[in-house]
Amino acid sequence: MSNNEKTRGVFQTAIIPAAGLGTRFLPVTKTVPKELLPVVSTPGIEIIAGEAAEAGADRLVIVTSDRKTGVMAYFNEDPVLETALEKQGKEVMLHRVRRAPGLIKVESALQEKPLGLGHAISVAEDHLTEDEDCVAVLLPDDVVMPTGVLEEMEEVRNRFGGTVLCACEVPGEEISAYGVFDVEPTGDPADEGRVMRVKGMVEKPDPEDAPSNFAAVGRYILDRSIFGALQRIEPGAGGELQLTDAIALQVEEGLPTHVVVHHGVRHDLGNPGGFIRASVDFALQDETYGSDLREWLKDRLKQDVDG
Ligand code: UTP
């Protein structure tokens, strides 16, 4: 049996919370959900849904709000459009249009008010079946490349149980923008630099107070007991129910909690600056647009240097 086969099936459900207001991306998010903004031509949420399906999830629960109905609609089949594309012989477009509805079974959970990420996760609980003892959460703002970190996290859950989180190493001067892990070695030399035990978590610390350079990335395998912990926390920063607070409470209570370090690229689609970087990165790798863009960028940057 390959390593991948062994670790398959740790979680069946993946939650994508997508009911936030997207204030950092106003004004477009007044009417267009940020999850549907195109990275080249594919909405960010399709990239994330693809990652969940690839990691072996059977079901995606998208937490959404009445203001953001387009997010679920994107995962519906569109027979009228598909027939038109078929008639016109537009096979490539037809394949692209069919990809999202064919990826994975998608269900929606309604968050009536944006009361925080922790609250958004709690409204998805009813979608889990009784036998599920953990659940994956993928934040649609965070793109991690290459994919595969969820499979590594599954392997860690198999070894230690409990909750498994994901981190990226970031330079000291940038650390205050993130949730930061207080970590220690697992004791297994094979885990060094890759898997660590979490002792605590600090939200957006000053650089001198940061317990490490390991910042939280939006991938989680949460022990099912998280739903109970979410009932036991009080609203935190911004009056919202914070997922970080529930995880920190469970660490304090002794739930095994580990972090897997992602060594690849991470993009933040949740603000225009990060979104532009991701778009350029994906576009440079695109077979239609990549080479033209590369040439244009070289010229454009040369103009800056030449003044
Ligand atoms: P963010 O804080 O990054 O997203 O939440 P936001 O609230 O949409 O963005 P800003 O801060 O106003 O610009 C992380 C994730 O949690 C979801 C968001 O949709 C995002 O995917 N979320 C947040 C919810 O689903 N519900 C909430 O009440 C809050």
Side-chain angles (χ1 to χ4, degrees), residues 17-25 34-35 63 68 111 113-117 119-120 139-141 240 270:
L21 292 176
T23 48
R24 285 166 297 160
F25 234 126
K34 67 178 169 182
E35 295 79 8
V63 181
K68 297 173 87 173
Q111 187 188 27
K113 287 190 185 146
L115 298 176
L117 174 58
H119 180 258
L139 298 193
D141 285 354
E240 297 185 341

Side-chain angles (χ1 to χ4, degrees), residues 42-224:
T42 304
I45 197 161
E46 182 178 330
I47 299 171
I48 309 301
E51 183 187 339
E54 188 185 310
D58 298 329
R59 177 191 316 121
L60 203 62
V61 179
I62 299 181
V63 181
T64 186
S65 73
D66 285 337
R67 292 174 59 86
K68 297 173 87 173
T69 47
V71 174
M72 284 307 291
Y74 183 74
F75 287 91
N76 291 341
E77 287 174 358
D78 187 337
V80 175
L81 177 62
E82 288 175 28
T83 307
L85 291 172
E86 249 168 6
K87 278 195 187 139
Q88 293 166 13
K90 294 188 172 163
E91 289 301 322
V92 174
M93 285 306 169
L94 187 61
H95 176 74
R96 287 186 188 165
V97 162
R98 283 180 171 158
R99 182 171 179 264
L103 271 176
I104 187 170
K105 181 170 175 269
V106 179
E107 298 170 8
S108 75
L110 181 68
Q111 187 188 27
E112 285 176 6
K113 287 190 185 146
L115 298 176
L117 174 58
H119 180 258
I121 302 305
S122 68
V123 304
E125 182 180 6
D126 289 348
H127 291 255
L128 271 66
T129 55
E130 262 175 32
D131 56 339
E132 289 180 81
D133 54 14
C134 66
V135 66
V137 173
L138 291 84
L139 298 193
D141 285 354
D142 275 355
V143 172
V144 296
M145 299 190 311
T147 54
V149 76
L150 278 172
E151 286 88 335
E152 283 184 60
M153 292 164 70
E154 287 185 294
E155 182 259 332
V156 172
R157 160 88 189 177
N158 270 341
R159 280 165 61 204
F160 298 106
T163 276
V164 186
L165 309 167
C166 179
C168 265
E169 202 164 0
V170 302
E173 66 276 11
E174 290 172 25
I175 201 78
S176 326
Y178 297 97
V180 180
F181 295 111
D182 186 4
V183 287
E184 65 182 12
T186 62
D188 181 343
D191 286 337
E192 214 169 293
R194 202 181 66 86
V195 181
M196 283 162 284
R197 198 177 78 77
V198 176
K199 291 191 291 176
M201 239 186 129
V202 190
E203 202 55 44
K204 301 188 174 65
D206 288 335
E208 56 278 15
D209 298 332
S212 76
N213 278 7
F214 294 109
V217 175
R219 299 291 179 273
Y220 311 76
I221 296 180
L222 299 170
D223 191 78
R224 191 175 182 140

